[in-house]
């Protein structure tokens, strides 16, 4: 798989077409298991399981599904002793690094480190009798090479800071995070990443901006309790987009009231939209209007379904008429402009054929396969890519 190195991908004929992003904020690099976070590492996508962690089989099954959808790091909640006892098996069998999410019991932090978890998340607002354990935790984490995420959450902000600021302001979130960092720093421990989550993207964006300016720790972006899929997707896209386009953010978790696989899909799409990850299939389809001579919505859906999981990055324009069709199709790898019951098929901006409307989807798929072939990529019946050009494949 070819992914960006944390900078916008500008490939082939796309060169010069995408707006260059600002440089990524310089953050220190930590390793969450095998996944680098921070520095110039690509922005990673993570999610969290919704199973009972103590149910090892169900948790591993969900981690497998998340991994298949592109999740790179997974977090599991550890609210009980049973969950803590499940960690060694989960950490050992998970194909991606596992972060233990600890809220109330410092003893589970040690259990997670001993279990081989790749990192531990602690919430300074929730964890009890935590401050006097920091030295011990820092030593254990240092010895095991396990980073700590200091995960501040607006809904569980330290009471002292709530009293000081009156509510979970950006300043309060940042102060809480930096205070907790300072406790670890006193023990020479800096293997830290931070999140300062809020359900309001405006507050969240400001909090991360302040935090980014105040430290060099890698930042885990999240809009907490973002809501059901539709609302949560928009909130996350707006907030992450604002921050990532300014170079802020090293790993992301989209929080949705939806199956976690959906979080990964949204997170991946956000990174692709920002040019921070190589795009897979990108459909450029028009919204349709009174000039449309084809059902654009259905056509776009059919093309999306027909090329789903196509392993080669492709930009495909699906346009309802010839007004804007040729222009968009010229910018795409592949395109169709429809009219009068026919579709003009474009490849790299040139009309290669005109086919009846009923053959548009199959023709686009054929042309997509041809493009792959020309790139030296062979696509097997199972959709897997091989051949000398396969290094550009998106998985
Ligand atoms: S491409 Fe044609 S049908 Fe689609 S929105 Fe533009 S003018 Fe309307």
């Amino acid at each position: 798989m070819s992914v960006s190195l944390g900078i916008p991908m500008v490939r082939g004929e796309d060169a010069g077409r995408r707006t260059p992003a600002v440089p990524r904020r310089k953050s220190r690099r930590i390793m969450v298991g095998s996944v680098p976070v921070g520095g110039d590492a690509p922005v990673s996508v993570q999610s969290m399981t919704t199973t009972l962690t103590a149910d090892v089989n169900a948790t591993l099954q969900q981690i497998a599904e998340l991994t298949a959808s592109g999740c790179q790091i997974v977090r599991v909640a550890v609210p009980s002793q049973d969950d803590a006892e499940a960690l060694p098996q989960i950490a050992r069998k998970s194909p991606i690094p596992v972060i233990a999410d600890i809220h109330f019991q410092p003893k589970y932090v040690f259990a997670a480190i001993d279990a081989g978890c790749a990192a531990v998340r602690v919430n300074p607002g929730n964890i009890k009798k935590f401050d006097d354990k920091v030295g011990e935790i820092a030593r254990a984490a240092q010895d095991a090479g396990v980073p700590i995420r200091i995960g501040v959450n607006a809904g569980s902000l330290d009471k002292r800071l709530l009293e000081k600021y009156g509510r979970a302001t950006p300043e309060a979130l940042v102060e809480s995070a930096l205070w907790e960092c300072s406790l670890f720093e006193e023990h020479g421990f800096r293997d830290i990443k931070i999140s300062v989550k809020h359900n309001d993207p405006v507050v969240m964006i400001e909090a991360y901006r302040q935090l980014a300016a105040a430290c060099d720790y890698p930042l885990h972006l999240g809009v907490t309790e973002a809501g059901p899929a539709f609302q949560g997707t928009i909130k996350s896209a707006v907030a992450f987009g604002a921050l990532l386009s300014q170079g802020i953010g090293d790993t992301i978790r989209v929080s949705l009231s939806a199956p976690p696989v959906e979080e990964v899909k949204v997170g991946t799409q956000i990174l692709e939209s920002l040019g921070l990850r190589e795009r897979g299939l990108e459909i450029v389809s028009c919204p349709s209007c009174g000039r449309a001579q084809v059902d654009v919505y259905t056509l776009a859906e059919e093309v999306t379904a027909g090329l789903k999981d196509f392993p080669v990055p492709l930009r495909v324009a699906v346009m309802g008429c010839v007004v804007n069709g040729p222009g968009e199709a010229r910018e795409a790898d592949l395109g169709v402009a429809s009219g009068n019951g026919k579709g003009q098929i474009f490849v790299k901006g040139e009309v290669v054929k005109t086919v009846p409307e009923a053959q548009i989807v199959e023709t686009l798929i054929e042309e997509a396969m041809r493009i792959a072939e020309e790139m030296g990529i062979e696509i097997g019946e199972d959709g897997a890519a091989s051949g000398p050009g396969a290094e550009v494949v998106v998985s």
Side-chain angles (χ1 to χ4, degrees):
M1 169 177 173
S2 150
V3 291
S4 76
L5 293 175
I7 55 171
M9 294 297 294
V10 182
R11 63 185 166 77
E13 297 189 1
D14 278 348
R17 209 184 281 161
R18 310 275 300 276
T19 309
V22 297
R24 293 268 303 278
R25 161 180 170 265
K26 288 196 191 315
S27 56
R28 67 173 57 234
R29 175 177 286 202
I30 64 167
M31 292 299 295
V32 178
S34 57
V35 178
V37 174
D40 58 359
V43 179
S44 49
V45 173
Q46 49 180 290
S47 185
M48 189 166 179
T49 52
T50 55
T51 52
L52 268 181
T53 303
D55 186 342
V56 173
N57 287 341
T59 302
L60 284 170
Q61 173 62 33
Q62 196 170 57
I63 291 175
E65 288 163 14
L66 284 165
T67 307
S69 70
C71 185
Q72 294 164 287
I73 297 170
V74 67
R75 190 153 44 105
V76 300
V78 189
S80 74
Q81 184 61 33
D82 286 349
D83 299 313
E85 286 171 11
L87 289 176
Q89 220 182 330
I90 293 170
R92 193 170 62 249
K93 292 189 174 167
S94 170
I96 53 176
V98 174
I99 300 180
D101 192 82
I102 316 284
H103 275 256
F104 296 107
Q105 300 266 18
K107 67 178 180 181
Y108 297 150
V109 175
F110 299 106
I113 292 170
D114 290 345
C117 288
V120 177
R121 180 267 173 118
V122 296
N123 179 340
N126 269 353
I127 206 146
K128 309 282 188 241
K129 297 180 199 153
F130 176 70
D131 292 356
D132 62 348
K133 297 266 186 216
V134 169
E136 224 180 309
I137 290 173
R139 269 190 304 282
Q142 190 86 58
D143 290 348
V146 169
I148 302 278
R149 167 153 77 94
I150 292 174
V152 177
N153 211 317
S156 51
L157 188 64
D158 193 320
K159 281 203 184 76
R160 180 178 61 87
L161 291 163
L162 263 184
E163 279 163 20
K164 178 175 172 184
Y165 289 95
R167 62 198 160 83
T169 61
E171 291 76 12
L173 296 169
V174 171
E175 187 172 328
S176 175
L178 293 180
W179 164 255
E180 214 59 49
C181 287
S182 73
L183 298 181
F184 279 96
E185 287 161 357
E186 277 175 22
H187 298 278
F189 187 86
R190 291 174 190 273
D191 207 6
I192 292 170
K193 68 184 166 116
I194 309 179
S195 62
V196 280
K197 297 190 183 181
H198 197 288
N199 61 32
D200 181 339
V202 175
V203 178
M204 175 272 196
I205 290 167
E206 182 54 25
Y208 276 98
R209 278 188 185 143
Q210 291 184 14
L211 189 58
C215 70
D216 70 349
Y217 290 118
L219 302 182
H220 162 123
L221 302 187
V223 178
T224 190
E225 292 104 27
F230 179 72
Q231 179 187 296
T233 296
I234 292 172
K235 277 187 173 184
S236 301
V238 166
F240 295 3
L243 290 164
L244 289 166
S245 64
Q246 294 181 347
I248 298 171
D250 300 287
T251 182
I252 61 171
R253 190 262 171 122
V254 174
S255 301
L256 300 178
S257 303
V261 163
E262 297 305 313
E263 299 183 346
V264 175
K265 288 186 195 164
V266 172
T268 303
Q269 190 69 48
I270 290 172
L271 295 183
E272 288 182 4
S273 299
L274 289 164
L276 287 164
R277 179 173 288 203
E278 176 68 284
R279 295 178 187 211
L281 174 65
E282 181 189 2
I283 300 290
V284 180
S285 59
C286 81
S288 190
C289 74
R291 278 182 286 264
Q293 294 178 343
V294 68
D295 178 352
V296 177
Y297 304 160
T298 303
L299 185 57
E301 273 174 20
E302 286 177 358
V303 173
T304 304
L307 290 172
K308 184 173 170 279
D309 300 330
F310 195 69
V312 179
L314 270 189
R315 182 180 294 171
V316 183
V318 178
M319 307 299 287
C321 74
V322 292
V323 173
N324 288 324
E328 287 294 349
R330 206 164 286 131
E331 296 290 310
D333 299 306
L334 192 57
V336 59
S338 306
N340 293 328
K342 295 178 191 151
Q344 276 186 323
I345 306 294
F346 290 75
V347 175
K348 308 283 181 199
E350 302 293 331
V351 178
V352 293
K353 58 177 81 161
T354 300
V355 298
E357 198 175 304
Q359 291 174 19
I360 290 174
V361 177
E362 65 184 74
T363 308
L364 287 174
I365 294 170
E366 280 167 18
E367 293 300 331
M369 299 291 269
R370 207 185 312 280
I371 290 173
E373 252 174 56
E374 283 171 12
M375 294 166 79
I377 300 165
E378 289 154 28
I379 298 172
E381 282 179 12
D382 60 353
S386 59
E391 77 277 3
V392 302
V393 163
V394 175
S395 63

